[in-house]
Amino acid sequence: MLVYGNEAVIPADVEIPSLRVIQEAKLDDAEWIRVRQKQLMLIDEKRMDMVCHCQLYQNRLANAFNKRVKPLHFIPGQLVLKKIFPHHEEAKGKFALNLQGPYVVYRVMLGGALILVEMDGRVSMKPINSGAIKRYYISRQ
């Protein structure tokens, strides 16, 4: 008000009018109710448009990302190595091994989870994500 001689109105008050903006526009009650209801219906339409837009955007991003992803396919009986994560008790320091094994794939579950068998025949019933598994290759000479 000090700069331009008018009272400042934030953009949100113009979009969704407050009592002050309504009094300045000099609308009667019936017309105000009609205009307000129309604005509320537009808000719902805008919200649905944004939801659709966000879903399309997320699908485009997922497709762009998944184009370069090469899924790993494991079959039962295949030799693999299991990654050792820092929170496991097997992680003993900076220069410790990163992989553990070899293991044999016992069962492949939906979603990429694997059930592994140790070389002595003990089956681990705890499924492991295939992202934490690498194939183990044996060179034959």
Side-chain angles (χ1 to χ4, degrees), residues 4-42:
Y4 297 108
N6 293 330
E7 191 170 347
V9 178
I10 60 174
D13 283 342
V14 174
E15 183 72 25
I16 303 170
S18 66
L19 183 60
R20 183 183 63 180
V21 174
I22 292 166
Q23 288 174 349
E24 288 177 11
K26 296 184 174 80
L27 297 174
D28 62 341
D29 290 340
E31 187 177 346
W32 178 81
I33 290 172
R34 186 177 49 77
V35 169
R36 185 71 174 154
Q37 188 174 17
K38 190 176 180 182
Q39 288 175 346
L40 291 174
M41 291 178 74
L42 282 176

PDB file of all heavy atoms in Angstrom, residues 4-42:
ATOM      1  N   TYR A   4       2.342   1.635  -4.050  1.00  0.00           N
ATOM      2  CA  TYR A   4       1.460   1.930  -5.176  1.00  0.00           C
ATOM      3  C   TYR A   4       0.137   2.588  -4.775  1.00  0.00           C
ATOM      4  O   TYR A   4      -0.680   2.885  -5.631  1.00  0.00           O
ATOM      5  CB  TYR A   4       1.153   0.645  -5.953  1.00  0.00           C
ATOM      6  CG  TYR A   4       2.387   0.034  -6.560  1.00  0.00           C
ATOM      7  CD1 TYR A   4       2.926  -1.139  -6.051  1.00  0.00           C
ATOM      8  CD2 TYR A   4       3.024   0.645  -7.626  1.00  0.00           C
ATOM      9  CE1 TYR A   4       4.059  -1.697  -6.601  1.00  0.00           C
ATOM     10  CE2 TYR A   4       4.163   0.100  -8.183  1.00  0.00           C
ATOM     11  CZ  TYR A   4       4.677  -1.075  -7.670  1.00  0.00           C
ATOM     12  OH  TYR A   4       5.801  -1.615  -8.209  1.00  0.00           O
ATOM     13  N   GLY A   5      -0.135   2.730  -3.519  1.00  0.00           N
ATOM     14  CA  GLY A   5      -1.391   3.336  -3.102  1.00  0.00           C
ATOM     15  C   GLY A   5      -2.529   2.347  -3.026  1.00  0.00           C
ATOM     16  O   GLY A   5      -3.649   2.705  -2.690  1.00  0.00           O
ATOM     17  N   ASN A   6      -2.277   1.085  -3.350  1.00  0.00           N
ATOM     18  CA  ASN A   6      -3.297   0.041  -3.255  1.00  0.00           C
ATOM     19  C   ASN A   6      -2.842  -1.006  -2.253  1.00  0.00           C
ATOM     20  O   ASN A   6      -1.654  -1.173  -2.006  1.00  0.00           O
ATOM     21  CB  ASN A   6      -3.514  -0.642  -4.604  1.00  0.00           C
ATOM     22  CG  ASN A   6      -4.121   0.285  -5.619  1.00  0.00           C
ATOM     23  OD1 ASN A   6      -4.872   1.189  -5.260  1.00  0.00           O
ATOM     24  ND2 ASN A   6      -3.799   0.071  -6.881  1.00  0.00           N
ATOM     25  N   GLU A   7      -3.806  -1.722  -1.720  1.00  0.00           N
ATOM     26  CA  GLU A   7      -3.473  -2.789  -0.787  1.00  0.00           C
ATOM     27  C   GLU A   7      -3.017  -4.021  -1.562  1.00  0.00           C
ATOM     28  O   GLU A   7      -3.599  -4.358  -2.601  1.00  0.00           O
ATOM     29  CB  GLU A   7      -4.701  -3.134   0.070  1.00  0.00           C
ATOM     30  CG  GLU A   7      -4.362  -4.023   1.230  1.00  0.00           C
ATOM     31  CD  GLU A   7      -5.534  -4.156   2.193  1.00  0.00           C
ATOM     32  OE1 GLU A   7      -6.482  -3.379   2.086  1.00  0.00           O
ATOM     33  OE2 GLU A   7      -5.460  -5.063   3.022  1.00  0.00           O
ATOM     34  N   ALA A   8      -1.970  -4.673  -1.108  1.00  0.00           N
ATOM     35  CA  ALA A   8      -1.411  -5.837  -1.800  1.00  0.00           C
ATOM     36  C   ALA A   8      -2.364  -7.020  -1.685  1.00  0.00           C
ATOM     37  O   ALA A   8      -2.954  -7.274  -0.642  1.00  0.00           O
ATOM     38  CB  ALA A   8      -0.067  -6.200  -1.199  1.00  0.00           C
ATOM     39  N   VAL A   9      -2.510  -7.751  -2.806  1.00  0.00           N
ATOM     40  CA  VAL A   9      -3.330  -8.951  -2.853  1.00  0.00           C
ATOM     41  C   VAL A   9      -2.450 -10.069  -3.386  1.00  0.00           C
ATOM     42  O   VAL A   9      -1.876  -9.940  -4.467  1.00  0.00           O
ATOM     43  CB  VAL A   9      -4.562  -8.755  -3.774  1.00  0.00           C
ATOM     44  CG1 VAL A   9      -5.378 -10.034  -3.852  1.00  0.00           C
ATOM     45  CG2 VAL A   9      -5.405  -7.610  -3.294  1.00  0.00           C
ATOM     46  N   ILE A  10      -2.337 -11.143  -2.636  1.00  0.00           N
ATOM     47  CA  ILE A  10      -1.507 -12.254  -3.081  1.00  0.00           C
ATOM     48  C   ILE A  10      -2.230 -13.016  -4.183  1.00  0.00           C
ATOM     49  O   ILE A  10      -3.467 -12.985  -4.269  1.00  0.00           O
ATOM     50  CB  ILE A  10      -1.126 -13.181  -1.912  1.00  0.00           C
ATOM     51  CG1 ILE A  10      -2.369 -13.782  -1.251  1.00  0.00           C
ATOM     52  CG2 ILE A  10      -0.299 -12.443  -0.883  1.00  0.00           C
ATOM     53  CD1 ILE A  10      -2.048 -14.811  -0.203  1.00  0.00           C
ATOM     54  N   PRO A  11      -1.509 -13.703  -5.069  1.00  0.00           N
ATOM     55  CA  PRO A  11      -2.152 -14.407  -6.190  1.00  0.00           C
ATOM     56  C   PRO A  11      -3.168 -15.455  -5.749  1.00  0.00           C
ATOM     57  O   PRO A  11      -4.135 -15.697  -6.454  1.00  0.00           O
ATOM     58  CB  PRO A  11      -0.982 -15.056  -6.921  1.00  0.00           C
ATOM     59  CG  PRO A  11       0.192 -14.224  -6.574  1.00  0.00           C
ATOM     60  CD  PRO A  11      -0.057 -13.712  -5.196  1.00  0.00           C
ATOM     61  N   ALA A  12      -2.971 -16.053  -4.597  1.00  0.00           N
ATOM     62  CA  ALA A  12      -3.933 -17.058  -4.123  1.00  0.00           C
ATOM     63  C   ALA A  12      -5.283 -16.417  -3.837  1.00  0.00           C
ATOM     64  O   ALA A  12      -6.331 -17.035  -4.034  1.00  0.00           O
ATOM     65  CB  ALA A  12      -3.401 -17.745  -2.880  1.00  0.00           C
ATOM     66  N   ASP A  13      -5.294 -15.165  -3.368  1.00  0.00           N
ATOM     67  CA  ASP A  13      -6.559 -14.478  -3.110  1.00  0.00           C
ATOM     68  C   ASP A  13      -7.298 -14.182  -4.396  1.00  0.00           C
ATOM     69  O   ASP A  13      -8.522 -14.145  -4.429  1.00  0.00           O
ATOM     70  CB  ASP A  13      -6.318 -13.167  -2.356  1.00  0.00           C
ATOM     71  CG  ASP A  13      -6.038 -13.383  -0.878  1.00  0.00           C
ATOM     72  OD1 ASP A  13      -6.364 -14.490  -0.398  1.00  0.00           O
ATOM     73  OD2 ASP A  13      -5.513 -12.469  -0.230  1.00  0.00           O
ATOM     74  N   VAL A  14      -6.586 -13.955  -5.470  1.00  0.00           N
ATOM     75  CA  VAL A  14      -7.236 -13.689  -6.751  1.00  0.00           C
ATOM     76  C   VAL A  14      -7.799 -14.983  -7.324  1.00  0.00           C
ATOM     77  O   VAL A  14      -8.904 -15.015  -7.858  1.00  0.00           O
ATOM     78  CB  VAL A  14      -6.241 -13.040  -7.733  1.00  0.00           C
ATOM     79  CG1 VAL A  14      -6.869 -12.884  -9.108  1.00  0.00           C
ATOM     80  CG2 VAL A  14      -5.783 -11.698  -7.200  1.00  0.00           C
ATOM     81  N   GLU A  15      -7.030 -16.082  -7.203  1.00  0.00           N
ATOM     82  CA  GLU A  15      -7.478 -17.380  -7.719  1.00  0.00           C
ATOM     83  C   GLU A  15      -8.659 -17.911  -6.916  1.00  0.00           C
ATOM     84  O   GLU A  15      -9.656 -18.338  -7.467  1.00  0.00           O
ATOM     85  CB  GLU A  15      -6.304 -18.365  -7.673  1.00  0.00           C
ATOM     86  CG  GLU A  15      -6.612 -19.723  -8.235  1.00  0.00           C
ATOM     87  CD  GLU A  15      -6.746 -19.728  -9.745  1.00  0.00           C
ATOM     88  OE1 GLU A  15      -6.163 -18.853 -10.409  1.00  0.00           O
ATOM     89  OE2 GLU A  15      -7.456 -20.606 -10.248  1.00  0.00           O
ATOM     90  N   ILE A  16      -8.535 -17.922  -5.605  1.00  0.00           N
ATOM     91  CA  ILE A  16      -9.607 -18.360  -4.715  1.00  0.00           C
ATOM     92  C   ILE A  16      -9.956 -17.155  -3.851  1.00  0.00           C
ATOM     93  O   ILE A  16      -9.281 -16.908  -2.842  1.00  0.00           O
ATOM     94  CB  ILE A  16      -9.167 -19.556  -3.846  1.00  0.00           C
ATOM     95  CG1 ILE A  16      -8.708 -20.698  -4.749  1.00  0.00           C
ATOM     96  CG2 ILE A  16     -10.294 -20.005  -2.947  1.00  0.00           C
ATOM     97  CD1 ILE A  16      -8.045 -21.824  -4.003  1.00  0.00           C
ATOM     98  N   PRO A  17     -10.948 -16.397  -4.208  1.00  0.00           N
ATOM     99  CA  PRO A  17     -11.190 -15.104  -3.569  1.00  0.00           C
ATOM    100  C   PRO A  17     -11.471 -15.208  -2.080  1.00  0.00           C
ATOM    101  O   PRO A  17     -12.168 -16.104  -1.618  1.00  0.00           O
ATOM    102  CB  PRO A  17     -12.407 -14.564  -4.303  1.00  0.00           C
ATOM    103  CG  PRO A  17     -12.576 -15.393  -5.513  1.00  0.00           C
ATOM    104  CD  PRO A  17     -11.888 -16.679  -5.271  1.00  0.00           C
ATOM    105  N   SER A  18     -10.936 -14.259  -1.352  1.00  0.00           N
ATOM    106  CA  SER A  18     -11.215 -14.131   0.067  1.00  0.00           C
ATOM    107  C   SER A  18     -12.345 -13.123   0.250  1.00  0.00           C
ATOM    108  O   SER A  18     -12.838 -12.524  -0.706  1.00  0.00           O
ATOM    109  CB  SER A  18      -9.961 -13.682   0.807  1.00  0.00           C
ATOM    110  OG  SER A  18      -9.616 -12.379   0.395  1.00  0.00           O
ATOM    111  N   LEU A  19     -12.759 -12.917   1.477  1.00  0.00           N
ATOM    112  CA  LEU A  19     -13.849 -11.987   1.772  1.00  0.00           C
ATOM    113  C   LEU A  19     -13.494 -10.577   1.329  1.00  0.00           C
ATOM    114  O   LEU A  19     -14.331  -9.849   0.796  1.00  0.00           O
ATOM    115  CB  LEU A  19     -14.166 -12.030   3.273  1.00  0.00           C
ATOM    116  CG  LEU A  19     -15.334 -11.165   3.739  1.00  0.00           C
ATOM    117  CD1 LEU A  19     -16.617 -11.596   3.041  1.00  0.00           C
ATOM    118  CD2 LEU A  19     -15.483 -11.236   5.236  1.00  0.00           C
ATOM    119  N   ARG A  20     -12.256 -10.196   1.487  1.00  0.00           N
ATOM    120  CA  ARG A  20     -11.824  -8.850   1.112  1.00  0.00           C
ATOM    121  C   ARG A  20     -11.959  -8.625  -0.390  1.00  0.00           C
ATOM    122  O   ARG A  20     -12.453  -7.596  -0.842  1.00  0.00           O
ATOM    123  CB  ARG A  20     -10.379  -8.643   1.549  1.00  0.00           C
ATOM    124  CG  ARG A  20      -9.863  -7.253   1.258  1.00  0.00           C
ATOM    125  CD  ARG A  20      -8.438  -7.146   1.651  1.00  0.00           C
ATOM    126  NE  ARG A  20      -7.666  -8.080   0.811  1.00  0.00           N
ATOM    127  CZ  ARG A  20      -6.373  -8.237   0.897  1.00  0.00           C
ATOM    128  NH1 ARG A  20      -5.675  -7.573   1.774  1.00  0.00           N
ATOM    129  NH2 ARG A  20      -5.750  -9.077   0.109  1.00  0.00           N
ATOM    130  N   VAL A  21     -11.545  -9.625  -1.205  1.00  0.00           N
ATOM    131  CA  VAL A  21     -11.630  -9.487  -2.655  1.00  0.00           C
ATOM    132  C   VAL A  21     -13.086  -9.469  -3.102  1.00  0.00           C
ATOM    133  O   VAL A  21     -13.469  -8.728  -4.013  1.00  0.00           O
ATOM    134  CB  VAL A  21     -10.838 -10.628  -3.339  1.00  0.00           C
ATOM    135  CG1 VAL A  21     -11.024 -10.609  -4.837  1.00  0.00           C
ATOM    136  CG2 VAL A  21      -9.368 -10.532  -2.982  1.00  0.00           C
ATOM    137  N   ILE A  22     -13.934 -10.269  -2.453  1.00  0.00           N
ATOM    138  CA  ILE A  22     -15.362 -10.307  -2.796  1.00  0.00           C
ATOM    139  C   ILE A  22     -16.014  -8.957  -2.511  1.00  0.00           C
ATOM    140  O   ILE A  22     -16.811  -8.449  -3.307  1.00  0.00           O
ATOM    141  CB  ILE A  22     -16.062 -11.431  -2.010  1.00  0.00           C
ATOM    142  CG1 ILE A  22     -15.561 -12.780  -2.503  1.00  0.00           C
ATOM    143  CG2 ILE A  22     -17.574 -11.353  -2.182  1.00  0.00           C
ATOM    144  CD1 ILE A  22     -15.921 -13.920  -1.609  1.00  0.00           C
ATOM    145  N   GLN A  23     -15.678  -8.348  -1.376  1.00  0.00           N
ATOM    146  CA  GLN A  23     -16.256  -7.044  -1.041  1.00  0.00           C
ATOM    147  C   GLN A  23     -15.808  -5.980  -2.029  1.00  0.00           C
ATOM    148  O   GLN A  23     -16.586  -5.097  -2.389  1.00  0.00           O
ATOM    149  CB  GLN A  23     -15.870  -6.646   0.382  1.00  0.00           C
ATOM    150  CG  GLN A  23     -16.593  -7.465   1.427  1.00  0.00           C
ATOM    151  CD  GLN A  23     -16.102  -7.155   2.834  1.00  0.00           C
ATOM    152  OE1 GLN A  23     -15.096  -6.481   3.017  1.00  0.00           O
ATOM    153  NE2 GLN A  23     -16.825  -7.663   3.822  1.00  0.00           N
ATOM    154  N   GLU A  24     -14.576  -6.066  -2.499  1.00  0.00           N
ATOM    155  CA  GLU A  24     -14.105  -5.094  -3.481  1.00  0.00           C
ATOM    156  C   GLU A  24     -14.794  -5.295  -4.819  1.00  0.00           C
ATOM    157  O   GLU A  24     -15.046  -4.321  -5.538  1.00  0.00           O
ATOM    158  CB  GLU A  24     -12.592  -5.199  -3.647  1.00  0.00           C
ATOM    159  CG  GLU A  24     -11.815  -4.669  -2.476  1.00  0.00           C
ATOM    160  CD  GLU A  24     -10.315  -4.853  -2.651  1.00  0.00           C
ATOM    161  OE1 GLU A  24      -9.883  -5.209  -3.763  1.00  0.00           O
ATOM    162  OE2 GLU A  24      -9.593  -4.629  -1.674  1.00  0.00           O
ATOM    163  N   ALA A  25     -15.102  -6.531  -5.196  1.00  0.00           N
ATOM    164  CA  ALA A  25     -15.776  -6.798  -6.464  1.00  0.00           C
ATOM    165  C   ALA A  25     -17.260  -6.488  -6.381  1.00  0.00           C
ATOM    166  O   ALA A  25     -17.934  -6.421  -7.408  1.00  0.00           O
ATOM    167  CB  ALA A  25     -15.566  -8.251  -6.864  1.00  0.00           C
ATOM    168  N   LYS A  26     -17.812  -6.346  -5.195  1.00  0.00           N
ATOM    169  CA  LYS A  26     -19.222  -5.999  -4.950  1.00  0.00           C
ATOM    170  C   LYS A  26     -20.175  -6.999  -5.613  1.00  0.00           C
ATOM    171  O   LYS A  26     -21.038  -6.628  -6.402  1.00  0.00           O
ATOM    172  CB  LYS A  26     -19.501  -4.580  -5.434  1.00  0.00           C
ATOM    173  CG  LYS A  26     -18.729  -3.527  -4.666  1.00  0.00           C
ATOM    174  CD  LYS A  26     -19.121  -2.144  -5.122  1.00  0.00           C
ATOM    175  CE  LYS A  26     -18.453  -1.110  -4.244  1.00  0.00           C
ATOM    176  NZ  LYS A  26     -17.093  -0.806  -4.543  1.00  0.00           N
ATOM    177  N   LEU A  27     -19.988  -8.293  -5.297  1.00  0.00           N
ATOM    178  CA  LEU A  27     -20.875  -9.334  -5.797  1.00  0.00           C
ATOM    179  C   LEU A  27     -21.968  -9.601  -4.781  1.00  0.00           C
ATOM    180  O   LEU A  27     -21.722  -9.577  -3.570  1.00  0.00           O
ATOM    181  CB  LEU A  27     -20.089 -10.634  -6.042  1.00  0.00           C
ATOM    182  CG  LEU A  27     -18.988 -10.601  -7.094  1.00  0.00           C
ATOM    183  CD1 LEU A  27     -18.236 -11.907  -7.079  1.00  0.00           C
ATOM    184  CD2 LEU A  27     -19.567 -10.336  -8.454  1.00  0.00           C
ATOM    185  N   ASP A  28     -23.187  -9.884  -5.260  1.00  0.00           N
ATOM    186  CA  ASP A  28     -24.243 -10.257  -4.318  1.00  0.00           C
ATOM    187  C   ASP A  28     -24.079 -11.729  -3.944  1.00  0.00           C
ATOM    188  O   ASP A  28     -23.311 -12.460  -4.558  1.00  0.00           O
ATOM    189  CB  ASP A  28     -25.630  -9.968  -4.904  1.00  0.00           C
ATOM    190  CG  ASP A  28     -25.902 -10.771  -6.161  1.00  0.00           C
ATOM    191  OD1 ASP A  28     -24.925 -11.240  -6.764  1.00  0.00           O
ATOM    192  OD2 ASP A  28     -27.080 -10.919  -6.527  1.00  0.00           O
ATOM    193  N   ASP A  29     -24.812 -12.177  -2.933  1.00  0.00           N
ATOM    194  CA  ASP A  29     -24.613 -13.517  -2.378  1.00  0.00           C
ATOM    195  C   ASP A  29     -24.898 -14.625  -3.389  1.00  0.00           C
ATOM    196  O   ASP A  29     -24.144 -15.590  -3.492  1.00  0.00           O
ATOM    197  CB  ASP A  29     -25.495 -13.710  -1.143  1.00  0.00           C
ATOM    198  CG  ASP A  29     -25.025 -12.876   0.030  1.00  0.00           C
ATOM    199  OD1 ASP A  29     -23.835 -12.471   0.009  1.00  0.00           O
ATOM    200  OD2 ASP A  29     -25.814 -12.625   0.951  1.00  0.00           O
ATOM    201  N   ALA A  30     -25.971 -14.517  -4.148  1.00  0.00           N
ATOM    202  CA  ALA A  30     -26.333 -15.571  -5.104  1.00  0.00           C
ATOM    203  C   ALA A  30     -25.269 -15.698  -6.189  1.00  0.00           C
ATOM    204  O   ALA A  30     -24.856 -16.808  -6.558  1.00  0.00           O
ATOM    205  CB  ALA A  30     -27.694 -15.279  -5.718  1.00  0.00           C
ATOM    206  N   GLU A  31     -24.806 -14.568  -6.683  1.00  0.00           N
ATOM    207  CA  GLU A  31     -23.785 -14.604  -7.720  1.00  0.00           C
ATOM    208  C   GLU A  31     -22.465 -15.124  -7.166  1.00  0.00           C
ATOM    209  O   GLU A  31     -21.757 -15.892  -7.813  1.00  0.00           O
ATOM    210  CB  GLU A  31     -23.600 -13.200  -8.304  1.00  0.00           C
ATOM    211  CG  GLU A  31     -22.690 -13.175  -9.503  1.00  0.00           C
ATOM    212  CD  GLU A  31     -22.576 -11.781 -10.101  1.00  0.00           C
ATOM    213  OE1 GLU A  31     -23.383 -10.907  -9.765  1.00  0.00           O
ATOM    214  OE2 GLU A  31     -21.645 -11.594 -10.892  1.00  0.00           O
ATOM    215  N   TRP A  32     -22.151 -14.743  -5.921  1.00  0.00           N
ATOM    216  CA  TRP A  32     -20.915 -15.224  -5.306  1.00  0.00           C
ATOM    217  C   TRP A  32     -20.948 -16.739  -5.140  1.00  0.00           C
ATOM    218  O   TRP A  32     -19.966 -17.425  -5.408  1.00  0.00           O
ATOM    219  CB  TRP A  32     -20.700 -14.548  -3.957  1.00  0.00           C
ATOM    220  CG  TRP A  32     -19.471 -15.055  -3.277  1.00  0.00           C
ATOM    221  CD1 TRP A  32     -18.206 -14.673  -3.506  1.00  0.00           C
ATOM    222  CD2 TRP A  32     -19.419 -16.076  -2.277  1.00  0.00           C
ATOM    223  NE1 TRP A  32     -17.338 -15.375  -2.718  1.00  0.00           N
ATOM    224  CE2 TRP A  32     -18.058 -16.257  -1.943  1.00  0.00           C
ATOM    225  CE3 TRP A  32     -20.363 -16.856  -1.632  1.00  0.00           C
ATOM    226  CZ2 TRP A  32     -17.633 -17.167  -0.998  1.00  0.00           C
ATOM    227  CZ3 TRP A  32     -19.944 -17.767  -0.689  1.00  0.00           C
ATOM    228  CH2 TRP A  32     -18.584 -17.918  -0.375  1.00  0.00           C
ATOM    229  N   ILE A  33     -22.111 -17.263  -4.709  1.00  0.00           N
ATOM    230  CA  ILE A  33     -22.244 -18.718  -4.518  1.00  0.00           C
ATOM    231  C   ILE A  33     -22.067 -19.429  -5.851  1.00  0.00           C
ATOM    232  O   ILE A  33     -21.383 -20.453  -5.950  1.00  0.00           O
ATOM    233  CB  ILE A  33     -23.608 -19.054  -3.877  1.00  0.00           C
ATOM    234  CG1 ILE A  33     -23.619 -18.580  -2.423  1.00  0.00           C
ATOM    235  CG2 ILE A  33     -23.902 -20.544  -3.960  1.00  0.00           C
ATOM    236  CD1 ILE A  33     -24.960 -18.680  -1.751  1.00  0.00           C
ATOM    237  N   ARG A  34     -22.652 -18.898  -6.925  1.00  0.00           N
ATOM    238  CA  ARG A  34     -22.536 -19.512  -8.242  1.00  0.00           C
ATOM    239  C   ARG A  34     -21.080 -19.497  -8.731  1.00  0.00           C
ATOM    240  O   ARG A  34     -20.547 -20.504  -9.207  1.00  0.00           O
ATOM    241  CB  ARG A  34     -23.436 -18.773  -9.232  1.00  0.00           C
ATOM    242  CG  ARG A  34     -23.502 -19.420 -10.596  1.00  0.00           C
ATOM    243  CD  ARG A  34     -24.458 -18.692 -11.527  1.00  0.00           C
ATOM    244  NE  ARG A  34     -24.255 -17.250 -11.573  1.00  0.00           N
ATOM    245  CZ  ARG A  34     -23.268 -16.647 -12.241  1.00  0.00           C
ATOM    246  NH1 ARG A  34     -22.383 -17.359 -12.895  1.00  0.00           N
ATOM    247  NH2 ARG A  34     -23.161 -15.326 -12.246  1.00  0.00           N
ATOM    248  N   VAL A  35     -20.429 -18.361  -8.575  1.00  0.00           N
ATOM    249  CA  VAL A  35     -19.030 -18.251  -9.004  1.00  0.00           C
ATOM    250  C   VAL A  35     -18.140 -19.167  -8.180  1.00  0.00           C
ATOM    251  O   VAL A  35     -17.241 -19.840  -8.699  1.00  0.00           O
ATOM    252  CB  VAL A  35     -18.567 -16.776  -8.905  1.00  0.00           C
ATOM    253  CG1 VAL A  35     -17.069 -16.663  -9.084  1.00  0.00           C
ATOM    254  CG2 VAL A  35     -19.306 -15.921  -9.925  1.00  0.00           C
ATOM    255  N   ARG A  36     -18.380 -19.222  -6.879  1.00  0.00           N
ATOM    256  CA  ARG A  36     -17.570 -20.076  -5.978  1.00  0.00           C
ATOM    257  C   ARG A  36     -17.734 -21.549  -6.319  1.00  0.00           C
ATOM    258  O   ARG A  36     -16.765 -22.308  -6.340  1.00  0.00           O
ATOM    259  CB  ARG A  36     -17.986 -19.799  -4.535  1.00  0.00           C
ATOM    260  CG  ARG A  36     -17.169 -20.516  -3.526  1.00  0.00           C
ATOM    261  CD  ARG A  36     -15.798 -19.931  -3.460  1.00  0.00           C
ATOM    262  NE  ARG A  36     -15.086 -20.564  -2.376  1.00  0.00           N
ATOM    263  CZ  ARG A  36     -13.802 -20.672  -2.312  1.00  0.00           C
ATOM    264  NH1 ARG A  36     -13.061 -20.149  -3.240  1.00  0.00           N
ATOM    265  NH2 ARG A  36     -13.214 -21.279  -1.312  1.00  0.00           N
ATOM    266  N   GLN A  37     -18.977 -21.979  -6.598  1.00  0.00           N
ATOM    267  CA  GLN A  37     -19.221 -23.372  -6.959  1.00  0.00           C
ATOM    268  C   GLN A  37     -18.524 -23.715  -8.275  1.00  0.00           C
ATOM    269  O   GLN A  37     -17.950 -24.796  -8.427  1.00  0.00           O
ATOM    270  CB  GLN A  37     -20.724 -23.624  -7.065  1.00  0.00           C
ATOM    271  CG  GLN A  37     -21.088 -25.074  -7.238  1.00  0.00           C
ATOM    272  CD  GLN A  37     -22.587 -25.281  -7.202  1.00  0.00           C
ATOM    273  OE1 GLN A  37     -23.356 -24.347  -7.357  1.00  0.00           O
ATOM    274  NE2 GLN A  37     -22.993 -26.510  -6.997  1.00  0.00           N
ATOM    275  N   LYS A  38     -18.553 -22.795  -9.216  1.00  0.00           N
ATOM    276  CA  LYS A  38     -17.869 -23.007 -10.488  1.00  0.00           C
ATOM    277  C   LYS A  38     -16.365 -23.150 -10.286  1.00  0.00           C
ATOM    278  O   LYS A  38     -15.719 -24.018 -10.889  1.00  0.00           O
ATOM    279  CB  LYS A  38     -18.173 -21.827 -11.411  1.00  0.00           C
ATOM    280  CG  LYS A  38     -17.732 -22.002 -12.820  1.00  0.00           C
ATOM    281  CD  LYS A  38     -18.187 -20.800 -13.642  1.00  0.00           C
ATOM    282  CE  LYS A  38     -17.760 -20.923 -15.077  1.00  0.00           C
ATOM    283  NZ  LYS A  38     -18.152 -19.744 -15.860  1.00  0.00           N
ATOM    284  N   GLN A  39     -15.806 -22.324  -9.396  1.00  0.00           N
ATOM    285  CA  GLN A  39     -14.376 -22.407  -9.107  1.00  0.00           C
ATOM    286  C   GLN A  39     -14.019 -23.732  -8.444  1.00  0.00           C
ATOM    287  O   GLN A  39     -12.989 -24.337  -8.748  1.00  0.00           O
ATOM    288  CB  GLN A  39     -13.945 -21.245  -8.213  1.00  0.00           C
ATOM    289  CG  GLN A  39     -13.908 -19.923  -8.920  1.00  0.00           C
ATOM    290  CD  GLN A  39     -13.602 -18.785  -7.967  1.00  0.00           C
ATOM    291  OE1 GLN A  39     -13.665 -18.950  -6.750  1.00  0.00           O
ATOM    292  NE2 GLN A  39     -13.273 -17.639  -8.529  1.00  0.00           N
ATOM    293  N   LEU A  40     -14.863 -24.186  -7.526  1.00  0.00           N
ATOM    294  CA  LEU A  40     -14.592 -25.460  -6.853  1.00  0.00           C
ATOM    295  C   LEU A  40     -14.660 -26.628  -7.833  1.00  0.00           C
ATOM    296  O   LEU A  40     -13.874 -27.567  -7.732  1.00  0.00           O
ATOM    297  CB  LEU A  40     -15.572 -25.667  -5.700  1.00  0.00           C
ATOM    298  CG  LEU A  40     -15.388 -24.735  -4.505  1.00  0.00           C
ATOM    299  CD1 LEU A  40     -16.496 -24.936  -3.493  1.00  0.00           C
ATOM    300  CD2 LEU A  40     -14.029 -24.944  -3.862  1.00  0.00           C
ATOM    301  N   MET A  41     -15.560 -26.585  -8.789  1.00  0.00           N
ATOM    302  CA  MET A  41     -15.629 -27.640  -9.801  1.00  0.00           C
ATOM    303  C   MET A  41     -14.389 -27.594 -10.698  1.00  0.00           C
ATOM    304  O   MET A  41     -13.877 -28.642 -11.096  1.00  0.00           O
ATOM    305  CB  MET A  41     -16.907 -27.503 -10.613  1.00  0.00           C
ATOM    306  CG  MET A  41     -18.155 -27.834  -9.798  1.00  0.00           C
ATOM    307  SD  MET A  41     -19.656 -27.632 -10.721  1.00  0.00           S
ATOM    308  CE  MET A  41     -19.564 -29.052 -11.776  1.00  0.00           C
ATOM    309  N   LEU A  42     -13.890 -26.399 -10.988  1.00  0.00           N
ATOM    310  CA  LEU A  42     -12.682 -26.283 -11.793  1.00  0.00           C
ATOM    311  C   LEU A  42     -11.467 -26.846 -11.052  1.00  0.00           C
ATOM    312  O   LEU A  42     -10.574 -27.426 -11.669  1.00  0.00           O
ATOM    313  CB  LEU A  42     -12.434 -24.827 -12.171  1.00  0.00           C
ATOM    314  CG  LEU A  42     -13.285 -24.279 -13.314  1.00  0.00           C
ATOM    315  CD1 LEU A  42     -13.014 -22.797 -13.510  1.00  0.00           C
ATOM    316  CD2 LEU A  42     -13.024 -25.031 -14.593  1.00  0.00           C
TER     317      LEU A  42
END
